[in-house]
Amino acid sequence: MVFNILTLFPGMVEAGLNTSILGRAAEKGLIRINAVDIRDFTENRHRRVDDYTYGGGAGMLMQAQPVYDAFLAAAGGRKHRVIYLTPQGRLFTQEYAAELAAEDEITLVCGHYEGIDERALEAMNAEPVSIGDYVLTGGELPAMVLVDAVSRLIPGVLGNHESADTESFGNGLLEYPQYSRPEEWMGMRVPEILLSGDHARVDAWRLEQSLLRTKERRPDLYEKYITEHPEEKAGKRAGNRKNTKKTHTGLQ
Ligand code: ADE
């Protein structure tokens, strides 16, 4: 999958995306990061990309011409999705990431200052996307967030040790707590059930922990999940009681 990233700071996105799992994915040819410097497409000798806004008001706007020419140079003529990172966009979610993972090329447009001249966004048919209800200084970090979330869903990007199937959101719940060696650390013991070797009880315990954690931390996700799985209410499941052998198989 090719990610064209139109930005004023190509070094920032290249450095961030050429490391760790995504760096390996690029080496293996599973993803390609094509960072394009918008400033290379200015037509004035000061290499300026911004100007005042019509109608007045504080702040500068990125002009349409260099942004659009960078777009044409990166991906012009190929039909593909173009995304503009902005707090005024559609909220980026796991579902949205899965939808984008099915594409083979996308272009991400990173704004700065007060944003980008609306005509360039229209000409590129850019879909506005937000990574959350807060305002960042530019679109680079949001673009990197999106590339990371989409790339890890591409087959082969995650190894066996980084499997994507049981984690948070895969089933609409937050992930259960996890423990590694030693069995006791700073006086805190690993929950006994995890040492029992009884996989059915471990699964039931994990599901219960996921439900409790989701209910406490993300009541919005919990309500949605419970509406779809009314039999799984946290604390109500037979599998959670110590003296029962009832097992859970309905999830994951
Ligand atoms: N640019 C600035 N803030 C942003 C956000 N929250 N999401 C996407 N792009 C942004």
Side-chain angles (χ1 to χ4, degrees):
M1 179 163 185
V2 178
F3 297 95
N4 304 302
I5 305 180
L6 313 186
T7 169
L8 292 173
F9 302 99
M12 177 177 174
V13 295
E14 276 165 357
L17 296 173
N18 280 333
T19 312
S20 183
I21 294 174
L22 298 195
R24 280 203 301 279
E27 266 171 34
K28 285 197 236 163
L30 296 169
I31 62 170
R32 190 158 77 79
I33 307 297
N34 176 27
V36 178
D37 191 344
I38 294 169
R39 206 176 290 281
D40 287 346
F41 295 87
T42 51
E43 285 175 343
N44 62 81
R45 62 195 165 90
H46 304 290
R47 305 212 331 139
R48 266 189 68 172
V49 291
D50 60 321
D51 208 334
Y52 295 99
T53 54
Y54 280 115
M60 309 288 273
L61 202 64
M62 283 168 72
Q63 291 170 282
Q65 174 270 318
V67 174
Y68 189 66
D69 286 351
F71 163 73
L72 290 180
R78 289 194 295 280
K79 200 168 156 42
H80 69 298
R81 284 172 82 163
V82 179
I83 287 172
Y84 172 48
L85 287 313
T86 167
Q88 287 116 46
R90 168 181 163 196
L91 193 62
F92 187 61
T93 61
Q94 191 63 31
E95 259 176 10
Y96 203 158
E99 183 187 313
L100 293 177
E103 303 291 325
D104 49 28
E105 177 172 15
I106 58 178
T107 292
L108 304 172
V109 188
C110 306
H112 263 267
Y113 317 110
E114 288 300 297
I116 297 178
D117 188 308
E118 196 66 25
R119 293 168 295 183
L121 300 172
E122 253 174 56
M124 295 185 291
N125 194 23
E127 48 184 284
V129 174
S130 165
I131 63 159
D133 290 338
Y134 40 81
V135 182
L136 300 167
T137 55
E140 283 75 16
L141 287 170
M144 289 157 75
V145 165
L146 186 148
V147 170
D148 189 294
V150 171
S151 297
R152 65 189 289 290
L153 298 177
I154 295 170
V157 169
L158 294 187
N160 291 337
H161 290 295
E162 304 130 352
S163 153
D165 10 292
T166 58
E167 84 237 322
S168 297
F169 298 115
N171 60 7
L173 293 173
L174 303 186
E175 201 178 7
Y176 44 79
Q178 305 229 63
Y179 304 85
S180 184
R181 287 192 287 183
E183 275 179 33
E184 185 173 328
W185 177 76
M186 300 244 297
M188 293 178 275
R189 285 197 56 75
V190 172
E192 285 306 317
I193 198 164
L194 299 179
L195 311 174
S196 71
D198 183 338
H199 295 302
R201 284 183 66 214
V202 168
D203 284 352
W205 181 85
R206 285 179 166 167
L207 173 62
E208 187 64 22
Q209 294 296 316
S210 279
L211 288 162
L212 290 169
R213 181 168 273 194
T214 309
K215 189 176 181 193
E216 184 181 315
R217 299 183 186 176
R218 291 292 305 273
D220 57 324
L221 292 181
Y222 180 75
E223 285 311 318
K224 184 161 179 267
Y225 184 85
I226 285 305
T227 314
E228 288 157 16
H229 306 78
E231 74 288 358
E232 302 283 8
K233 257 192 157 156
K236 294 262 165 74
R237 298 178 50 259
N240 189 38
R241 278 185 235 124
K242 274 214 165 101
N243 57 358
T244 175
K245 284 255 150 60
K246 185 156 186 228
T247 62
H248 167 78
T249 51
L251 269 191
Q252 291 166 4

